[in-house]
Amino acid sequence: MVSSDQMRGVWLLLLLTGWCSAQQGEYVLAGSVVNARTGEPVKRALVTAVGFVVNDVGYAPDSPPVRPVRPFTVATFTDGSGAFRFTGLASGRYNLSAQKPHFIEPPTERVPVQLESSSKEDVRLDLSPLGTIEGKITDQRGQPAYGVSILLLQTTIRDGWRETSAVRDVWTDDRGMFRAWDIEPGRYLVKAAGRNSSMWAYINDGDPSNRGGYEGYVPAYFGGMTADSATPIIMEPGTEVHADLSVVAQPAHKVRGRVENLGAGDVKFALLSGDEEVGTGRVSFNKASGAFEMREVLNGSYMLRATQGSEAVAEMPLIVNGSDVDGLRLTLQGPVDIPVNVRILGQPETPQARAAVRSPDGNLQVWGFCTLTLHGAASEPSRVRSAKGQSSALPGHYRVGVPCFNSYVVSATIGTSDLLTNPWITVSPGSPPGIIEIVARHGGGTIAGAIRLDQEPAGRIRQVLAVPSVSSREPMLAPAFDQSGGQFFFNSLAPGDYTLYAFSTDQIEYRNPEFVRGLSGGEIVHVEDAATATVTITRVTQ
């Protein structure tokens, strides 16, 4: 979704850079832009065509492949009937897209338009209208709750992990009303996350003991008090959803202290209750002295965290119980080096020996290697650095991963702990957790698969998941190249049995053991070292 100013900027950029000077030809490319929800035409939409034209001048039919010309771009706006038209185009392939404020292109595969022997004037481009979520927030007294931060949360799967993040932050006005517009289709949770950082209130209900104290709101979700009990909002294109919430106002307090061992970067504060960040209300921070003050902190037990980019972190438990908290000391700690030893079995030990060995086709052999990855706990940001022979991480709790190329992991340990069965480690300030020892074996087996479905899926097959029978080994994903009779490959697999599942989505929480245990109906294949196993998938898991 782009604004009107952004669209004008795109149009001017195309003009100023000369990208609109298309390759000259005789073909016409035309069509219309329509509202995907209503079917009505969308006028004044920006339509862009990126052309890929080959120059075959001077080449005989049996000559080597022609050389492509640098891609060029042409653009225009639709008229009052939603129609667009490009003329004078050369033969070639064209990728079309449309943009307009308050609309978004549907998440479908773009099909290139090929101009070869004739023009094409019936192209249809869909734009989905964006939606709106609005509502009213009241407190336990039925009064409008103003200055409440309203977060729209969306859950995505990234690298097999489920992540929930805020995609929009608005706040209530003096009537307790909020409105979030231009919301893309999807599944959202609505959270009242306490006071907005720029607004606050004083308790003045006639009780002298409360005069001058701050008032805060207990975080709540639409439909429940926690994320697990909340009612998700499913946004369809162009819909308007009303979501009212009730929050509880409570006396709130100040938390004061000092951050020590400051570096040059900005400092961010977070207040955590379990794995959930509950917000910090208003925070004032004097970087020169390190002094900070949080306001509107409710009674409860928390973990207080201060981070300075990826350079340093400080954490400490915090209990607020009926009064302000003073005199805290947060000492920032830098990354801790973690020694890593990797040994690859089945390949020459030295670079000289490896260089002397060549593959059957005479090229240099491709040898295996492994790296270490550290994934922060759900409430922690990613703060890991890697280098040959070691990794470094800020203090925290991490899940260890060992991705390998052209080899597979045999064992991974830290001290007496087996990281394949228990992959979590704790990095303490200034104290390495121990040496991580990784043993892998060069080579491994291969799975070559085909997709021939009994029934047509709702969407094309995007991913194939291979789940090893040994629970200590992580499942792996491979892309599917085609829906009908397509192929997929896994290589460098440890010998053993694997169960394969095909998915029509790329949102696969495959690193979650509970998700994996809930799968059924996969294809089982046995893998041997240095051998290729073949398998055919005939049904879709999801």
Side-chain angles (χ1 to χ4, degrees):
M1 193 277 296
V2 295
S3 66
S4 300
D5 290 340
Q6 288 174 318
M7 288 181 62
R8 284 193 291 269
V10 170
W11 181 244
L12 289 174
L13 180 63
L14 294 175
L15 292 174
L16 291 174
T17 58
W19 285 351
C20 292
S21 57
Q23 301 293 317
Q24 294 300 311
E26 59 183 6
Y27 296 112
V28 174
L29 180 56
S32 60
V33 179
V34 300
N35 185 315
R37 184 185 179 205
T38 65
E40 297 176 349
V42 179
K43 60 183 179 180
R44 299 301 296 168
L46 175 65
V47 180
T48 304
V50 179
F52 300 86
V53 177
V54 293
N55 183 3
D56 55 1
V57 177
Y59 286 91
D62 58 348
S63 65
V66 297
R67 293 173 294 182
V69 172
R70 181 178 179 180
F72 64 91
T73 300
V74 289
T76 188
F77 286 99
T78 58
D79 60 20
S81 65
F84 67 89
R85 187 176 184 86
F86 298 106
T87 60
L89 299 180
S91 63
R93 176 169 58 88
Y94 292 84
N95 292 339
L96 289 170
S97 63
Q99 302 175 61
K100 185 172 182 176
H102 313 302
F103 286 84
I104 189 173
E105 283 191 303
T108 56
E109 297 292 326
R110 291 184 185 175
V111 178
V113 177
Q114 194 75 30
L115 298 182
E116 292 180 342
S117 59
S118 63
S119 299
K120 190 169 182 63
E121 302 187 43
D122 59 351
V123 179
R124 168 173 164 156
L125 299 178
D126 290 340
L127 284 177
S128 293
L130 298 171
T132 301
I133 299 177
E134 60 184 11
K136 183 174 183 178
I137 311 299
T138 55
D139 62 19
Q140 71 269 35
R141 300 179 289 263
Q143 297 300 309
Y146 71 92
V148 178
S149 178
I150 305 297
L151 303 180
L152 301 189
L153 305 176
Q154 199 165 35
T155 298
T156 58
I157 309 299
R158 182 177 302 175
D159 192 28
W161 300 96
R162 180 176 294 274
E163 297 181 356
T164 300
S165 58
V167 297
R168 186 69 63 85
D169 182 4
V170 297
W171 55 90
T172 59
D173 60 18
D174 61 322
R175 303 167 299 164
M177 303 295 295
F178 74 90
R179 187 172 187 270
W181 61 94
D182 282 352
I183 305 302
E184 297 182 9
R187 183 178 184 272
Y188 297 88
L189 297 180
V190 178
K191 179 183 180 181
R195 290 273 179 203
N196 179 269
S197 60
S198 63
M199 305 183 75
W200 69 98
Y202 291 101
I203 298 175
N204 188 8
D205 58 1
D207 182 355
S209 64
N210 284 335
R211 292 184 184 276
Y214 287 101
E215 183 182 64
Y217 295 115
V218 178
Y221 291 82
F222 174 65
M225 294 302 296
T226 66
D228 292 336
S229 62
T231 300
I233 292 177
I234 309 300
M235 291 294 295
E236 299 292 342
T239 55
E240 296 184 2
V241 177
H242 198 84
D244 292 341
L245 286 83
S246 178
V247 294
V248 176
Q250 291 183 354
H253 310 283
K254 297 179 181 179
V255 174
R256 304 183 187 91
R258 190 176 302 277
V259 179
E260 300 175 339
N261 200 22
L262 280 166
D266 294 331
V267 176
K268 176 187 175 182
F269 293 87
L271 204 58
L272 306 169
S273 177
D275 287 338
E276 185 172 6
E277 185 171 341
V278 298
T280 54
R282 295 189 302 139
V283 181
S284 61
F285 177 64
N286 186 322
K287 191 171 181 180
S289 65
F292 69 90
E293 179 182 87
M294 297 179 182
R295 303 182 179 99
E296 298 95 41
V297 180
L298 304 179
N299 292 332
S301 299
Y302 308 96
M303 179 65 69
L304 174 59
R305 177 187 298 151
T307 54
Q308 194 161 37
S310 60
E311 302 301 319
V313 64
E315 291 181 340
M316 68 178 303
L318 171 65
I319 297 177
V320 179
N321 185 18
S323 61
D324 294 349
V325 178
D326 292 289
L328 299 182
R329 290 291 184 269
L330 287 169
T331 303
L332 292 169
Q333 301 284 343
V336 176
D337 290 336
I338 306 171
V340 181
N341 291 334
V342 179
R343 186 160 57 101
I344 308 293
L345 305 177
Q347 68 179 17
E349 296 292 334
T350 65
Q352 293 80 6
R354 288 197 292 272
V357 179
R358 294 180 178 270
S359 59
D361 59 4
N363 295 322
L364 287 175
Q365 183 67 274
V366 179
W367 301 110
F369 63 86
C370 296
T371 58
L372 179 74
T373 62
L374 300 179
H375 302 272
S379 61
E380 297 180 342
S382 175
R383 42 197 193 196
V384 179
R385 303 169 179 171
S386 296
K388 186 175 181 180
Q390 72 175 26
S391 287
S392 63
L394 293 175
H397 197 46
Y398 297 93
R399 192 180 196 278
V400 176
V402 188
C404 294
F405 173 77
N406 213 18
S407 57
Y408 60 90
V409 176
V410 175
S411 66
T413 59
I414 181 168
T416 58
S417 178
D418 184 354
L419 293 175
L420 295 182
T421 57
N422 181 23
W424 291 96
I425 65 171
T426 297
V427 178
S428 301
S431 177
I435 301 175
I436 294 180
E437 301 278 357
I438 299 170
V439 179
R441 183 172 294 279
H442 175 62
T446 299
I447 295 176
I451 300 171
R452 296 185 178 88
L453 302 178
D454 295 334
Q455 296 181 347
E456 195 75 11
R460 79 172 184 86
I461 302 303
R462 296 179 179 273
Q463 302 281 352
V464 177
L465 180 67
V467 179
S469 59
V470 180
S471 60
S472 61
R473 298 190 179 278
E474 287 191 343
M476 292 156 289
L477 275 181
F481 297 110
D482 192 7
Q483 174 176 303
S484 176
Q487 295 180 331
F488 60 90
F489 301 93
F490 293 93
N491 53 25
S492 300
L493 298 174
D497 290 333
Y498 294 80
T499 305
L500 304 184
Y501 305 91
F503 293 85
S504 58
T505 176
D506 53 10
Q507 294 290 290
I508 308 170
E509 196 180 0
Y510 65 92
R511 296 191 189 273
N512 182 348
E514 293 185 7
F515 172 84
V516 174
R517 284 193 293 267
L519 298 175
S520 61
E523 304 286 346
I524 299 177
V525 60
H526 181 73
V527 174
E528 297 284 354
D529 199 6
T532 299
T534 59
V535 63
T536 300
I537 292 180
T538 59
R539 49 187 167 176
V540 182
T541 300
Q542 184 178 323

